[in-house]
Amino acid sequence: MGRRLALALLALAIAAAPCLAQDTINIHFSTYGYESGGFEFSAQGDTLVLVGFVVDAEGVIPGLPYSPSVNEYTIVFTDLVSGGEGVEGGVSTFTYTGGVMSIYQDPSFDGDWEQPHEANQPPASFVNGELWLRGEMGPFDWTLWRDMSMGVCGAIVQVTGGLAAPWVPQSLACGGTMVPAGGFYQAIGYDLQLNAEMWRESVAIRASSLGAIKALY
């Protein structure tokens, strides 16, 4: 199991690496999330919400309206509906569909995970700025090793609008690693923590990285 997990995370790291000069932007972000039915098991119809902050943007295109010293950049994922969790050999796999990714820029720097919020919605402080980027998500595939509190996930995001849309490729890959239990975020009502990025999808290994991970089992 340990060797397979190491290989899986290595595959994800390769998938998330810049693809030389063909890339135009890599957006790194960190989020907390919760699922409507609880993340101990992803039941069919459960809804996932992720909320967090853009922590860096590399390979920025000249003219891109990105000013982290002036604005806070918050990111939210909503409307993600689970197709139900399958378990085989101690490995869980499931897919969310129907998701929307949104990034907001806001000079108030007031994003607060502890702010009260309605069910299946992010706290208001994460969506109170100007829409910077929005995209519709393709199937959001997850693979978890629950006994080790580790996981990987990935999807393709089709950009549909926002202030930065003219400078960003229409199709972006999105992938990350997660820890589904423990720590500060559970105490404030979240079930998981995800560290991830979005990048221009331009080499074959990225499109097949999650398939390669699943093929290990």
Side-chain angles (χ1 to χ4, degrees):
M1 171 69 77
R3 180 175 179 271
R4 289 183 173 181
L5 176 60
L7 289 171
L9 295 178
L10 176 60
L12 181 73
I14 293 172
C19 61
L20 304 178
Q22 294 180 353
D23 265 351
T24 55
I25 191 168
N26 283 52
I27 301 171
H28 303 262
F29 57 92
S30 179
T31 67
Y32 290 162
Y34 67 91
E35 196 177 73
S36 57
F39 200 66
E40 292 82 6
F41 184 84
S42 185
Q44 185 173 4
D46 283 353
T47 301
L48 177 70
V49 176
L50 297 170
V51 296
F53 300 94
V54 173
V55 297
D56 190 22
E58 299 175 339
V60 172
I61 305 166
L64 179 76
Y66 176 69
S67 302
S69 62
V70 176
N71 295 300
E72 174 181 71
Y73 291 85
T74 54
I75 184 168
V76 300
F77 294 80
T78 56
D79 302 326
L80 288 160
V81 180
S82 176
E85 183 168 341
V87 183
E88 183 176 353
V91 181
S92 294
T93 58
F94 47 95
T95 298
Y96 296 98
T97 57
V100 176
M101 181 282 304
S102 303
I103 299 176
Y104 297 86
Q105 68 172 24
D106 180 16
S108 66
F109 288 86
D110 64 346
D112 182 5
W113 279 298
E114 297 185 73
Q115 183 183 37
H117 54 88
E118 298 180 7
N120 298 332
Q121 297 296 324
S125 59
F126 285 87
V127 296
N128 61 347
E130 182 177 10
L131 181 65
W132 191 76
L133 194 68
R134 175 165 290 169
E136 296 181 357
M137 300 186 68
F140 197 14
D141 296 321
W142 290 60
T143 299
L144 300 184
W145 296 263
R146 289 194 181 276
D147 60 335
M148 303 181 71
S149 295
M150 297 288 290
V152 293
C153 58
I156 299 297
V157 177
Q158 299 296 328
V159 173
T160 58
L163 183 65
W167 287 269
V168 176
Q170 185 177 4
S171 180
L172 294 170
C174 175
T177 59
M178 52 151 296
V179 180
F184 165 76
Y185 53 93
Q186 275 195 318
I188 60 173
Y190 296 89
D191 300 318
L192 62 103
Q193 184 175 13
L194 176 68
N195 295 311
E197 68 176 294
M198 288 183 289
W199 65 89
R200 179 181 178 180
E201 182 65 53
S202 53
V203 291
I205 190 171
R206 291 183 172 171
S208 63
S209 59
L210 285 173
I213 290 171
K214 293 178 181 178
L216 295 172
Y217 298 90

